[in-house]
Structure formats: C-alpha cells, structure tokens
Amino acid sequence: MTILGIESSCDETSAAVFRDETLLSNVISSQFFHSEYGGVVPELASRAHLKSMLPIVRQAMLEAGITLNEITAVAATQGPGLIGSLLVGLNFGKALAISLDIPFIPVHHIEAHLFSTFLHDPHPDFPFLGLVVSGGHTMLIRVDDIGVYTLLGGTIDDAAGEAFDKVAKMLGLGYPGGREIDRCATSGDPEAISFPRPLLNSGDYRFSFSGLKTSVLYHLRKHANKGSLTLTEQERNDICASFQRAIVDVLLEKCMRAAKEYSITDVTVVGGVSANSELQRRMYEYGSLYDIQVYIPDVVYSTDNAAMVARLAALLAPRMTTTSLLQASAFARSGDRLFRAYP
Ligand code: KG4
Ligand code: ZN
C-alpha cells in the first residue's frame, strides 16, 4: 500500500508518502508571512495553500521516488481546521483519487496527531493516553484501539498553544509564539512569578488557560509605563519561564493523574505544544520515575504535517470497506465517547 497524505488544515501545506511501514517523504511548507499580522489570516492561508499544494505534492513524490501510478490511496485532512484551508487539500486529494480511480481516505486532524508517534519505533501500545496540545486543541483522550477513544477532558476556553501564542504576542515575541516563549524561558527563572495553575485541583480532566493569560496581562500592566512595556530582557525571560512552568505543571499533573486513575502505562504527548522543551523534559522525568512510557514525536511530526495523515490512513485502511473509505466522516462524538463509525 502506498499512501499519499495531504495536510492543509491551518497554515502548513504538507504532503507525504507512506509505503507499508515506511515513511518515504514528508514535505512541509510553512506560511511564515502570518507573523506580520500576529496570527493566521484565514483568507491568506487558503490562497497560499492553492499556490503551494501542487508543487508540494510533486516534491513529496519526487523525494519518495514514486510516480502517480504507484499511489494506491490518497488521504487528506478533512477537519477540524480553517474551512478555506481544508477545502484546498481535501478537494485536491479527492480529485486526484477519482482521477486515479483509487480510494480516498478522509482523516480527522486530532486523530492524526494522536497517532503521530506511530511514525516512530517504538510507539505506544493500547490502551494508551493521548495528551493533544496544539494551537486549537487541548484534550486528554484514552485510546483503547484505533477508532475507540474516550475523551477524558478538554479545555473549557483557550487551547494551550493559543495561550502560548497570546502571551507571546503581549510580550512582542511574534507568531507562532510557543517556540519563542520556550526559547526565552531557557534564560528565565520559572519561580520568579507565581502565576495561577487553573483547575489544577478540580478533580477532573478539564483545562482552562484563559485566566492564566489574563494574569500575565495584569502582571505586564504593572510594568507598563504610560502604556508602553518597560521590561528588561531578564524580566521578559522570567515571565516566559514562569508562565511556561504554570502550563506545564497543569498538563503534567492532569495527564499523569489520569494515567494513574486508569492504570495506563503508555502516554503520548502530541500536537505543536508537545515540542515544548520543558514539557518534554518533565514528562520523560516523571515517566522514568513512575514507570510510565512517554512517547513524544520528533518536532517535525508534532506541528502540522502530512506524515501523520498518511500514517493514520495506513492504520485505518485495512479496517474500512471501499464504501466506508468514501463515506467516513467519523471521529464522531457521543457523550464523552469519541468514536470512528465503521460500517
Ligand atoms: O499542531 P499545531 O502545528 O497546529 C494546530 O493544529 O493548532 O500547533 C501549533 C501550536 C502553536 O500554538 C505554537 O505556538 C505551538 O504549537 N508550539 C509550541 C512550541 N512549538 C510550537 N508551544 C510551546 N512550545 C514550543 N516549543
Ligand atoms: Zn494540528
């Protein structure tokens, strides 16, 4: 089976080729121009996908050393994401599948992140716990099998990555801000400011990061002089380190508490925020202390990429009939159960 994967849910245009158990290529084009606007501009993102989709797909096939005739299925992200951006990859993928008369596999973006560590060996064993932390989502999901998911909790306001991005913007650090905060935090004191740990002791797996972001804003106001920020580099780094420590404390505590409650020994942390150096360090540290295997994808597979789309499609394909390949719009939600509806 040779799968061409396509991702275009936000501001990355990506294509990848996955054959049998091997990733042959993964080409990503990031739309850096959004930093000028302090966030992703949907209209511009869609237009940029239109421009780069064909060259990126061509490049992925070139690097994989395959021709069109060798592709046996096309997979593309169907959502969630920016609708204009999604439509570019989705319709490109569908049209290609129809023209080659091969199956099309629609892929759920969160589900693709969830299985991104399956691009590595070793990867988690079922059942495992998935902490999905990206710019748009913060979710803790119990994964019993491919397609059998239980949502244990999610954010009630901002996603973790969104909080990173908004705080970075307040500090004038550019977009996307997570990586910048991570970088500044390495020279800061994480104990310098005591920011709140929202819902840390709520007894459930809900997250909330909006109040934390506001606390940073109030802290900054104290330092503002006639409306302009008067922070030294060290003060800025201390804010980054203290803010990052607060987010990581909450993510680590809730994730590991769930592992304990459900007696799960494999944990995967995925999505853009999983690239965070402190989150990674503390997850691995905790894991080795309490015998929990922690799996975090390489940074190229943590932010949006098509390798994870093709990888998940390869896992899904054998479980789907031809009809379901065409119809699946699954990863539906029913109560607190998330499930992929197979016929
Ligand atoms: O998964 P992703 O590429 O896109 C979404 O599906 O949202 O995640 C992007 C998010 C952004 O909010 C970005 O700031 C954050 O991941 N991010 C980080 C780091 N690298 C990327 N957050 C914290 N630390 C990082 N090193
Ligand atoms: Zn994503």
Side-chain angles (χ1 to χ4, degrees):
M1 187 150 219
T2 304
I3 298 181
L4 171 71
I6 295 172
E7 155 67 29
S8 71
S9 65
C10 191
D11 56 345
E12 257 93 28
T13 316
S14 180
V17 178
F18 192 85
R19 174 178 280 169
D20 303 326
E21 287 303 299
T22 311
L23 180 69
L24 299 182
S25 65
N26 180 40
V27 181
I28 304 171
S29 159
S30 296
Q31 303 171 2
F32 293 112
F33 61 82
H34 293 292
S35 61
E36 220 180 290
Y37 305 94
V40 177
V41 184
E43 171 79 12
L44 298 181
S46 319
R47 289 174 187 273
H49 284 305
L50 273 175
K51 252 193 201 159
S52 48
M53 186 54 71
L54 186 57
I56 291 296
V57 168
R58 281 218 172 103
Q59 185 64 24
M61 289 177 48
L62 194 74
E63 288 184 19
I66 62 155
T67 58
L68 273 181
N69 295 337
E70 291 173 72
I71 303 173
T72 52
V74 182
T77 306
Q78 67 161 8
L82 300 172
I83 189 65
S85 291
L86 285 165
L87 285 172
V88 177
L90 197 58
N91 284 324
F92 185 97
K94 277 187 182 172
L96 185 61
I98 288 169
S99 69
L100 294 171
D101 196 22
I102 55 176
F104 175 74
I105 308 174
V107 163
H108 192 285
H109 186 66
I110 305 300
E111 195 177 9
H113 272 302
L114 207 48
F115 284 90
S116 54
T117 38
F118 280 61
L119 285 158
H120 299 305
D121 194 16
H123 56 69
D125 273 337
F126 299 110
F128 66 84
L129 210 57
L131 176 64
V132 185
V133 272
S134 69
H137 298 88
T138 302
M139 287 177 168
L140 197 51
I141 300 172
R142 183 192 156 115
V143 181
D144 286 289
D145 198 352
I146 298 163
V148 186
Y149 314 118
T150 307
L151 179 65
L152 303 180
T155 183
I156 56 170
D157 41 56
D158 289 355
E162 194 180 348
F164 269 102
D165 293 339
K166 285 177 177 168
V167 167
K169 197 172 178 181
M170 289 178 208
L171 293 168
L173 287 174
Y175 179 88
R179 214 173 43 193
E180 290 303 303
I181 290 196
D182 195 351
R183 184 180 58 77
C184 294
T186 52
S187 318
D189 174 6
E191 319 249 302
I193 306 139
S194 166
F195 288 126
R197 271 68 172 158
L199 297 181
L200 185 66
N201 296 310
S202 62
D204 56 24
Y205 299 111
R206 287 175 307 145
F207 297 87
S208 164
F209 296 112
S210 156
L212 173 57
K213 172 196 68 191
T214 311
S215 299
V216 177
L217 182 67
Y218 288 159
H219 180 83
L220 287 176
R221 278 192 187 151
K222 275 196 243 156
H223 286 266
N225 184 6
K226 292 198 182 110
S228 64
L229 265 184
T230 53
L231 290 177
T232 64
E233 199 173 304
Q234 188 57 50
E235 282 167 340
R236 184 200 64 194
N237 294 346
D238 286 349
I239 293 171
C240 288
S242 302
F243 162 76
Q244 181 172 280
R245 173 63 51 92
I247 287 209
V248 172
D249 276 356
V250 177
L251 294 175
L252 177 77
E253 168 71 25
K254 295 230 174 194
C255 181
M256 292 308 183
R257 203 189 292 156
K260 197 167 164 210
E261 182 181 341
Y262 294 97
S263 304
I264 291 178
T265 54
D266 282 19
V267 166
T268 183
V269 188
V270 297
V273 181
S274 73
N276 185 264
S277 58
E278 179 171 355
L279 182 60
Q280 292 203 358
R281 179 178 58 76
R282 293 189 48 212
M283 280 281 173
Y284 286 130
E285 260 172 29
Y286 189 102
S288 65
L289 215 58
Y290 294 97
D291 245 353
I292 290 175
Q293 299 302 315
V294 175
Y295 300 88
I296 302 174
D298 285 351
V299 65
V300 67
Y301 308 128
S302 63
T303 43
D304 291 344
N305 66 89
M308 66 183 187
V309 175
R311 205 311 153 230
L312 175 62
L315 291 167
L316 294 173
R319 299 172 173 243
M320 301 167 110
T321 63
T322 312
T323 336
S324 74
L325 285 176
L326 293 169
Q327 290 175 347
S329 60
F331 206 80
R333 179 178 291 205
S334 155
D336 66 348
R337 283 301 272 174
L338 293 169
F339 61 92
R340 177 168 281 279
Y342 299 112

